[in-house]
């Protein structure tokens, strides 16, 4: 029998990386633009700052995500290798260990033994990886996928305030970038909450609050240390 039901948890890996990248792209680039604009910089300098922030941020996100997730992948690989060695050395002990896990989950002992025996006959390492170590295809670390998703989503997010800064009149640049960034962040927060099955309003309020704080701080620093052109 086929089981075609899709669960949101299957998308949690790429969703986390994509939302993190897009949020960071919008917030960091908008904050950079607002900080430089508050310092009374020329329009060209503001755009150059935005482009530089986009490129540097995308590379930083990809690198950081790759290193972080690759460390998780290395840990999983080492744990699987250790488990494989234990299966070769003492198969019966590993069977008893898996049986005990199923008993703790609510099966009676005879059924737990039968389940453990059948699963280990089919795929012993897979059974122990899933039920003892908590490693499955759904949650397994994928460094390249996470890095690519982070970089692409950062670029997508950073492009928005940069485009607004490019087309907005210089006198209205600060409010235009701030409003566009906040609206897009609120929309993204709501979309991510809906995709993950969480409550939309708290997610929108949370991201909006911290985004306002980030942009206000950088704008304040720019206005404090900037000089009139």
């Amino acid at each position: 029998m086929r089981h075609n039901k899709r669960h949101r948890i299957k998308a949690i890996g790429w969703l986390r990386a994509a939302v993190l990248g897009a949020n960071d792209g919008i917030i960091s680039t908008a904050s950079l633009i607002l900080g430089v604009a508050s310092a009374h910089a020329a329009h060209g300098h503001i755009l150059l700052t935005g482009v530089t922030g986009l490129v540097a941020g995308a590379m930083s996100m990809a690198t950081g995500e790759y290193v972080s997730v690759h460390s998780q992948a290395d840990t999983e690989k080492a744990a699987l290798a250790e488990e494989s060695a234990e299966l070769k050395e003492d198969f019966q002990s590993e069977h008893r260990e898996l049986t005990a896990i199923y008993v703790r989950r609510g099966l009676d002992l005879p059924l737990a033994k039968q389940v453990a025996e059948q699963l280990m006959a089919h795929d012993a390492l897979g059974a122990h990886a899933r039920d003892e170590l908590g490693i499955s295809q759904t949650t397994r670390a994928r460094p390249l996928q996470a890095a690519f998703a982070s970089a692409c989503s950062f670029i997508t997010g950073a492009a928005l305030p940069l485009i607004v800064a490019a087309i907005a009149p210089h006198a209205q640049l600060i409010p235009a970038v701030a409003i566009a960034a906040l609206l897009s962040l609120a929309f993204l927060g709501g979309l991510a909450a809906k995709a993950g099955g969480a409550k939309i309003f708290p997610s929108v309020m949370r991201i909006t609050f911290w985004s306002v704080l980030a942009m206000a701080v950088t704008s304040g620093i720019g206005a404090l240390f900037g000089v009139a052109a």
Side-chain angles (χ1 to χ4, degrees), residues 69-217:
V69 179
H70 205 291
S71 296
Q72 179 185 343
D74 288 342
T75 301
E76 291 177 354
K77 185 178 180 180
L80 290 173
E82 181 179 359
E83 192 65 33
S84 179
E86 290 174 355
L87 284 167
K88 292 179 181 178
E89 291 173 3
D90 193 347
F91 192 87
Q92 289 303 317
S93 177
E94 292 299 306
H95 177 269
R96 289 192 296 271
E97 186 176 25
L98 198 60
T99 299
I101 291 173
Y102 296 145
V103 169
R104 288 195 298 270
R105 291 183 181 178
L107 299 183
D108 57 47
L109 183 58
L111 181 58
K113 287 182 177 180
Q114 184 180 5
V115 171
E117 182 179 350
Q118 291 189 6
L119 288 177
M120 290 182 69
H122 174 68
D123 181 6
L125 182 59
H128 280 270
R130 180 180 60 254
D131 295 322
E132 180 184 350
L133 304 177
I135 300 174
S136 68
Q137 287 300 114
T138 300
T139 60
R140 197 159 185 178
R142 295 175 175 85
L144 287 176
Q145 183 190 61
F148 182 75
S150 293
C152 290
S153 57
F154 184 96
I155 292 171
T156 302
L160 175 74
L162 190 56
I163 291 171
V164 173
I167 63 178
H170 190 69
Q172 283 79 46
L173 187 147
I174 291 178
V177 170
I179 292 171
L182 289 175
L183 288 176
S184 58
L185 285 164
F187 174 78
L188 184 62
L191 185 65
K194 183 175 178 59
K199 293 183 179 179
I200 295 177
F201 183 74
S203 178
V204 170
M205 293 303 297
R206 182 168 53 246
I207 192 171
T208 301
F209 171 78
W210 289 109
S211 301
V212 168
L213 181 62
M215 289 186 281
V217 169

Side-chain angles (χ1 to χ4, degrees), residues 31-42 46 170 173-174 222-223:
S31 297
L32 277 172
I33 290 173
L34 293 177
V36 176
S38 297
H40 308 290
I46 296 172
H170 190 69
L173 187 147
I174 291 178

